[in-house]
Amino acid sequence: MSERLHLPGPDGRTIEVLVGGADAGPWLLFHGGSPSAVAEWPRFDDAVRDAGLRSVTYSRPGYGASTPRPAPGTYVDDVVESVAVLDHLEVDEFLTAGWSGGGPRALACAALLPDRCLAAATIAGVAPYDAAGLDWFAGMAEENHEEYHAAEQGPEVYGAFLEAGALDLLQASPDDVVASMGGLVTAVDEAALDASFADWMSRTFRNAGAQGVVGMRDDGLAAVAPWGFALADIRVPVAVWQGRQDAMVPYEHGAWLAEHVPTAEAHLFEDEGHLSLVTQLDRVLADLRRLGGLA
């Protein structure tokens, strides 16, 4: 059974945390996508427990019940949040994984916490916005083109863009999740989005919007900003999971990361999408244990 906590964070802020999985064992720090906030999902909890892991995930600042930062942060700032959570739970070594917009957060932990992070996995995770030799938007649905070009224009323009166009997503019912994402959902992903998955996505979106669009705004701004760490500096094992049937984060992002992270092992699929990769969580966690020397 998962447990929701409200822990002290940097600068007197509060961090909303969800702990679950096994009663004992190695820890998994999981970073959700954009937008997202903590929401219980028995399928995820069961997969973590079956892998013999304990899990911790948290709502980033401005999402759920987590206090917003005074100003938008970077992926490096998210490592500070992660350390606050890990220290409070007295977690020394850990594995980490991030889905979609959570992928760079997992890589940041791998780069900046090499003495604690045993291994990392990025699941349909984005590449840097300024990645050399990568057309960041190629293969991406038009909805994301509009959003990230708005983010390029700064907090005020992007915040207004989200206020006008993102509230339907943040308030989507399980039946409306696919429609609210429009062309971002491919046929492979729609097939993977069963009732349990759609219910969880609806609840994580709704919690993400508990304070309006501030968390989503800060996530988008971080995505178009410099990451603040060098992928070339990563020394811990990394797994890159990506599918070609992905209109949210195109296949080329995963291929680029697999080529530019020195320690990367690539898991690149022709028949997987953005959502469908989540159904492979048991394989991801088994592989992550192996990379971390825990298999």
Side-chain angles (χ1 to χ4, degrees):
M1 181 71 69
S2 55
E3 179 182 10
R4 196 175 298 214
L5 307 170
H6 296 89
L7 302 182
D11 306 317
R13 293 184 283 108
T14 296
I15 307 175
E16 182 183 37
V17 174
L18 191 66
V19 176
D23 293 332
W27 282 91
L28 169 72
L29 171 63
F30 187 82
H31 305 271
S34 307
S36 68
V38 300
E40 292 82 355
W41 190 20
R43 183 182 298 175
F44 176 86
D45 208 42
D46 289 346
V48 173
R49 185 181 301 106
D50 290 346
L53 299 171
R54 293 179 284 181
S55 68
V56 57
T57 187
Y58 64 90
S59 302
R60 291 188 288 274
Y63 282 139
S66 292
T67 312
R69 295 189 182 101
T74 66
Y75 294 144
V76 172
D77 294 313
D78 289 320
V79 175
V80 176
E81 305 284 331
S82 296
V83 168
V85 171
L86 294 168
D87 286 352
H88 187 90
L89 297 175
E90 299 182 344
V91 176
D92 184 11
E93 296 180 329
F94 65 96
L95 304 169
T96 189
W99 178 39
S100 190
R105 276 92 181 179
L107 293 175
C109 287
L112 301 177
L113 303 175
D115 295 333
R116 299 177 71 173
C117 181
L118 300 175
T122 171
I123 308 164
V126 293
Y129 205 61
D130 58 356
L134 174 68
D135 183 343
W136 205 83
F137 287 101
M140 188 180 291
E142 186 61 32
E143 287 88 343
N144 273 5
H145 287 236
E146 297 173 0
E147 179 175 341
Y148 288 111
H149 286 312
E152 291 173 344
Q153 301 176 61
E156 291 188 6
V157 170
Y158 185 44
F161 173 87
L162 293 175
E163 289 282 359
L167 293 180
D168 284 349
L169 174 64
L170 295 176
Q171 298 168 0
S173 70
D175 292 338
D176 295 335
V177 165
V178 170
S180 69
M181 291 191 287
L184 294 168
V185 179
T186 62
V188 167
D189 283 333
E190 186 171 359
L193 196 66
D194 61 17
S196 171
F197 199 166
D199 175 70
W200 172 74
M201 289 196 70
S202 172
R203 288 185 289 107
T204 192
F205 288 161
R206 285 173 175 268
N207 195 26
Q211 301 180 64
V213 300
V214 60
M216 190 175 183
R217 182 203 65 186
D218 289 1
D219 261 5
L221 294 171
V224 302
W227 282 16
F229 63 94
L231 292 174
D233 292 340
I234 294 177
R235 294 293 178 264
V236 304
V238 171
V240 178
W241 294 75
Q242 182 67 45
R244 193 176 291 278
Q245 310 303 315
D246 189 336
M248 299 189 210
V249 178
Y251 178 89
E252 286 72 16
H253 285 235
W256 191 94
L257 287 170
E259 183 178 348
H260 288 83
V261 175
T263 58
E265 289 189 10
H267 302 270
L268 306 177
F269 304 93
E270 294 294 323
D271 57 351
E272 295 286 358
H274 196 81
L275 306 181
S276 69
L277 270 181
V278 179
T279 68
Q280 304 294 328
L281 189 59
D282 56 342
R283 295 175 60 192
V284 173
L285 296 181
D287 186 66
L288 192 54
R289 285 193 63 119
R290 176 186 64 83
L291 289 175
L294 302 174

